[in-house]
Amino acid sequence: MNGIGSIAALFLLEKDGSMDDTFMQQFINAGQTTVSSLLLAHFHELGITNDEFLVYLELKSFYDAGDHFPEMVTIAQRLRLSSTQVYQIIHRMIQKKILTIDTTQDKQGRSQDQYDFALMYRKLATYLSQQNQQVVEQKTTNSRQQLFEQIETEFGRPLSPMEYETIAAWLDQDHYQADIVTLALREAVLNQAYSLKYMDRILLSWERKHLTTKQQIQHEQEKRQQRQPEASSSAAAKPTSAIPEIPMYNWAEPTDDDKQ
């Protein structure tokens, strides 16, 4: 429960007579210690033991109250430990590079020590960044594998090692997004051209038109679909012995107008 929630709950208890005014005043005057939920969830992953985290909580409570270097005996009494045990725990935390003791000077030029947990917060930030990167990499790997399997399904055969390298080059060197390659596969299948070379020409055609996102390509496709009925109407108005089929647009072989 956060500080605001705790106080609100106490006010409710006071209202129904469960708490007296003296305790309420003591509770409020004692202040609140704020701890990040991220740290609570991941301190074990940082190599911090339960005892070390309890010492951190004690030091943090004193720090929030304005005491940046509380007496070790005071920490020991509150944790029901000996001063030697607390000293050993703090020493381990320094060795693990999650705690430092910094010396600063006050306004009168006197030296004063203070506990600093900046290294721990940096460790937490690094850990979370690595975790996020692993999630992204896993999604990329899954997306790539799905793309391979989708192409093999549509082609009706396994891909050759060379074809795997071609698809990987699209993703890694040409930096085509997987969903863009999927759209190129769809166009190839609709044109009954089951070939990576055909897909490559489609991708190059989109690149020349500066169509770099799935939304842009789909918008361009919608525009072409809207123009096709107009062509059908014009063709139907002309007398002819046989009505020709309207060919599907071939991205791999654009018209002269499209090249402009």
Side-chain angles (χ1 to χ4, degrees):
M1 182 179 294
N2 59 33
I4 296 175
S6 300
I7 294 174
L10 286 174
F11 274 117
L12 290 175
L13 291 173
E14 182 189 32
K15 188 175 181 180
D16 66 14
S18 301
M19 294 287 177
D20 59 35
D21 293 340
T22 302
F23 172 77
M24 281 291 298
Q25 196 61 45
Q26 288 178 331
F27 187 92
I28 294 172
N29 291 341
Q32 303 291 320
T33 299
T34 303
V35 179
S36 168
S37 296
L38 280 174
L39 185 58
L40 281 171
H42 300 291
F43 74 88
H44 278 140
E45 285 85 344
L46 302 182
I48 300 173
T49 65
N50 291 344
D51 287 344
E52 291 165 355
F53 193 71
L54 280 175
V55 169
Y56 160 75
L57 291 177
E58 288 292 340
L59 295 177
K60 180 70 164 56
S61 70
F62 278 101
Y63 192 97
D64 290 346
D67 186 352
H68 297 177
F69 200 75
E71 293 291 337
M72 200 166 296
V73 64
T74 304
I75 301 296
Q77 289 173 350
R78 290 172 60 155
L79 292 178
R80 303 296 188 268
L81 298 173
S82 67
S83 296
T84 301
Q85 289 174 307
V86 173
Y87 171 81
Q88 292 172 341
I89 292 172
I90 290 177
H91 183 66
R92 286 203 312 267
M93 296 170 77
I94 293 174
Q95 288 183 320
K96 291 180 178 181
K97 298 187 184 305
I98 57 177
L99 170 65
T100 58
I101 299 176
D102 299 335
T103 301
T104 59
Q105 289 186 335
D106 60 18
K107 294 180 180 179
Q108 287 73 37
R110 294 172 299 187
S111 296
Q112 56 184 12
D113 294 332
Q114 66 177 17
Y115 293 109
D116 190 342
F117 285 94
L119 290 179
M120 181 181 67
Y121 298 132
R122 289 174 190 165
K123 276 179 174 284
L124 178 62
T126 300
Y127 169 78
L128 292 175
S129 176
Q130 291 173 345
Q131 289 296 108
N132 293 337
Q133 183 62 32
Q134 289 177 6
V135 170
V136 171
E137 290 175 355
Q138 185 61 46
K139 287 182 178 178
T140 300
T141 300
N142 293 341
S143 176
R144 180 171 302 207
Q145 185 60 37
Q146 290 174 359
L147 181 60
F148 289 151
E149 293 174 356
Q150 190 173 4
I151 294 175
E152 287 182 331
T153 299
E154 295 293 349
F155 283 12
R157 60 174 177 79
L159 293 171
S160 68
M162 185 65 69
E163 287 175 322
Y164 277 114
E165 291 182 8
T166 297
I167 299 170
W170 287 341
L171 301 172
D172 299 332
Q173 298 176 19
D174 299 325
H175 303 293
Y176 293 133
Q177 299 175 15
D179 55 357
I180 299 296
V181 179
T182 301
L183 286 177
L185 171 64
R186 178 177 178 276
E187 291 295 326
V189 171
L190 290 174
N191 284 282
Q192 298 183 348
Y194 304 99
S195 139
L196 292 190
K197 289 183 178 179
Y198 190 89
M199 290 176 60
D200 190 55
R201 291 199 296 271
I202 293 174
L203 292 169
L204 288 173
S205 173
W206 288 340
E207 186 176 351
R208 285 196 298 267
K209 291 176 174 291
H210 305 291
L211 304 176
T212 59
T213 68
K214 180 179 179 180
Q215 291 73 19
Q216 290 174 335
I217 293 171
Q218 290 176 332
H219 180 65
E220 181 69 15
Q221 290 172 331
E222 290 171 0
K223 286 167 56 178
R224 294 198 170 279
Q225 289 174 356
Q226 291 171 359
R227 286 201 290 265
Q228 281 185 355
E230 296 176 2
S232 300
S233 300
S234 300
K238 297 179 182 179
T240 177
S241 57
I243 300 176
E245 294 184 356
I246 298 174
M248 186 174 300
Y249 182 74
N250 191 337
W251 288 99
E253 298 178 4
T255 63
D256 292 337
D257 292 338
D258 293 324
K259 294 178 182 177
Q260 295 177 355

